[in-house]
Amino acid sequence: MTTWLNMSLQDGASPIMEQLIFFHDHTLMIMLMIITTVMYMMTTLLWNKHTSRFMLEGQLIETTWTIAPAIILVFIAMPSLRLLYLMDEIHNPTMTLKAVGHQWYWSYEYSDFTKLEFDSYMIPQEENQASTFRLLDTDNRIVLPMNSPIRLVVTAADVLHSWTIPSLGVKTDATPGRLNQTSFSINHPGILYGQCSEICGANHSFMPITIESVSANHFINWVSSLSE
């Protein structure tokens, strides 16, 4: 999910997403080198007029183009496996957020606080203001403290959904009768947008996710105002 005039990934709002962007660029550079080398070899073969009746086999070049791809795959696989393990790790979370997918809206529960839960619906187009994003803003935003490890528990009440925030590098399936969990940490304040990325029915594209990242003091004041 890109933004206006953006042909690449969104700017990373979490350490994991920044590492995913680095891995993406790293892999693209390897692909660029492979494409350049293959194109050069094909061009020289097309324009080369020399022939050799003695060149029936070449053990050296066959060994080279067997070993070289294996080495390249190692350079891709190692950072990929490292990232997979980092994304599955739960780092002593400071709080837990539970997201439940419905047709077609999300409901949220702050498990560490008593009776702090709400539903989050997309703002209808006729109620949009100049400061809101069409099809992305919600009536109740998720408020989370930045620079704090957050554990996210995701499930669904009816059909399959998928809780996705591209700028956080988070995409977790919401499955009825099952709890899936992941973790993330937001490294700067701001508003982050996402959508359900599972085809869950007629209004699949109309159940957005909006996170408001704030400081710890602002988050405590927000919780206190809701508890009153």
Side-chain angles (χ1 to χ4, degrees), residues 153-216:
V153 179
V154 184
T155 187
D158 34 52
V159 298
L160 292 174
H161 300 280
S162 187
W163 199 90
T164 307
I165 299 289
S167 58
L168 292 178
V170 175
K171 183 177 185 294
T172 306
D173 288 339
T175 308
R178 174 171 178 168
L179 291 177
N180 292 328
Q181 72 171 358
T182 185
S183 68
F184 58 87
S185 177
I186 309 173
N187 54 18
H188 62 75
I191 301 175
L192 312 175
Y193 295 99
Q195 289 176 309
C196 173
S197 57
E198 188 76 48
I199 301 177
C200 57
N203 293 330
H204 144 71
S205 57
F206 299 100
M207 47 186 302
I209 305 161
T210 309
I211 294 180
E212 186 173 350
S213 173
V214 298
S215 64

Side-chain angles (χ1 to χ4, degrees), residues 28-197:
L28 279 186
M29 288 304 299
I30 293 176
M31 290 177 59
L32 181 62
M33 290 187 289
I34 294 173
I35 292 171
T36 304
T37 305
V38 172
M39 290 299 295
Y40 172 75
M41 294 175 66
M42 291 178 65
T43 304
T44 53
L45 285 172
L46 286 173
W47 292 100
N48 190 2
K49 302 298 183 182
H50 300 291
T51 58
S52 174
R53 62 190 180 91
F54 298 106
M55 194 171 180
L56 300 178
E57 59 183 22
Q59 284 87 358
L60 179 61
I61 191 170
E62 288 184 3
T63 304
T64 302
W65 67 38
T66 302
I67 295 177
I71 296 174
I72 292 171
L73 287 175
V74 169
F75 277 95
I76 296 176
M78 294 305 291
S80 175
L81 291 173
R82 171 179 167 271
L83 266 177
L84 284 174
Y85 279 103
L86 284 175
M87 293 172 69
D88 283 338
E89 189 70 25
I90 307 296
H91 303 282
N92 296 324
T94 57
M95 60 171 291
T96 300
L97 174 69
K98 182 180 180 182
V100 183
H102 302 268
Q103 290 182 315
W104 285 273
Y105 65 94
W106 294 96
S107 61
Y108 299 99
E109 303 172 13
Y110 289 74
S111 305
D112 302 287
F113 306 96
T114 56
K115 297 182 180 180
L116 183 51
E117 55 187 54
F118 54 84
D119 296 332
S120 182
Y121 291 85
M122 184 190 75
I123 297 178
Q125 295 191 43
E126 58 272 12
E127 297 179 13
N128 277 337
Q129 301 176 358
S131 59
T132 59
F133 286 110
R134 176 179 173 269
L135 305 181
L136 285 178
D137 262 303
T138 56
D139 54 356
N140 290 314
R141 292 175 175 173
I142 312 164
V143 180
L144 294 174
M146 64 177 184
N147 296 326
S148 301
I150 309 295
R151 175 170 55 195
L152 175 69
V153 179
V154 184
T155 187
D158 34 52
V159 298
L160 292 174
H161 300 280
S162 187
W163 199 90
T164 307
I165 299 289
S167 58
L168 292 178
V170 175
K171 183 177 185 294
T172 306
D173 288 339
T175 308
R178 174 171 178 168
L179 291 177
N180 292 328
Q181 72 171 358
T182 185
S183 68
F184 58 87
S185 177
I186 309 173
N187 54 18
H188 62 75
I191 301 175
L192 312 175
Y193 295 99
Q195 289 176 309
C196 173
S197 57

